[in-house]
Every structure is written in structure tokens, then in C-alpha cells.
Amino acid sequence: QVQLVESGGGLVQAGGSLRLSCAASGSIFSINAMNWYRQASGKQRELVATIVSSGSTNYADSVKGRFTISRDNAKKMGYLQMNSLKPEDTAVYYCNAKIFTGPITLRDYWGQGTQVTVSS
């Protein structure tokens, strides 16, 4: 079994920063892409940032220049550094990873989510 556990969410004032962490554990052969999604109340889940195994990254336009995604392959950890937070960043943030559980078996896993609330 593979688990993803997020941490680091909370309440912060506008302009502040938070760092989310995603810990992967279990029967992991290797981790392909790691993603952060968010879902605000009443809205669809949206992709915020992606980092692939090579280290290449991609961001939603709404967070470019403010958020930074990173990973530590040895520790099986993913991170999302969020700076200059805005009230519209308020959402539940989910870690998602494409994980090889064997040489050719690639599966999709999700964390339970962590709440980020930005007050104005």
C-alpha cells in the first residue's frame, strides 16, 4: 500500500507564507510526477503545480511567481512553498503523485488534503 500525507496547512494573513509537505510511504519503486491540486469551496479541483522526476516544473498562471514546487526523491517528499498568499488561495490543497509500485506498474495516489485559509 502507498500513502500520501500532507501537512503544513493553516490560517495565514494575506501576504504571508506557508509551506506544504507531502510524505509518500509504502511499497514505492519510484515516484514519477508529483502534483499539488487545490479545491476551493463550491469550485472544481484545479492543478496548481507539477514537478516531474527530472525536476522540471509547471505552474498554474494564478500562482506563477508566488508558489514553488520541489521534491526530495531520497526522502520521498514533495513540497509547495507558497508566498505572497492571497484570500483567493484559500482552499483544500491535495498532494497527488504518479508512483511506480513495480518496474512497469504506475498508479495514481492522492493525499487526504490540508486546509489553507488566507484572511484579508
Side-chain angles (χ1 to χ4, degrees), residues 69-84:
I69 189 171
S70 61
R71 61 192 284 173
D72 184 329
N73 292 327
K75 294 182 179 179
K76 297 184 177 63
M77 295 288 297
Y79 306 97
L80 185 68
Q81 177 66 43
M82 306 185 294
N83 299 328
S84 302

Side-chain angles (χ1 to χ4, degrees), residues 63-96:
V63 307
K64 278 181 183 175
R66 300 188 299 122
F67 290 12
T68 302
I69 189 171
S70 61
R71 61 192 284 173
D72 184 329
N73 292 327
K75 294 182 179 179
K76 297 184 177 63
M77 295 288 297
Y79 306 97
L80 185 68
Q81 177 66 43
M82 306 185 294
N83 299 328
S84 302
L85 282 161
K86 304 175 181 180
E88 51 263 43
D89 294 317
T90 295
V92 178
Y93 284 71
Y94 297 91
C95 176
N96 165 262

Side-chain angles (χ1 to χ4, degrees), residues 96-115:
N96 165 262
K98 319 296 182 187
I99 295 176
F100 282 97
T101 56
I104 59 170
T105 306
L106 182 65
R107 291 180 175 162
D108 198 39
Y109 293 92
W110 290 86
Q112 82 287 353
T114 185
Q115 177 71 46

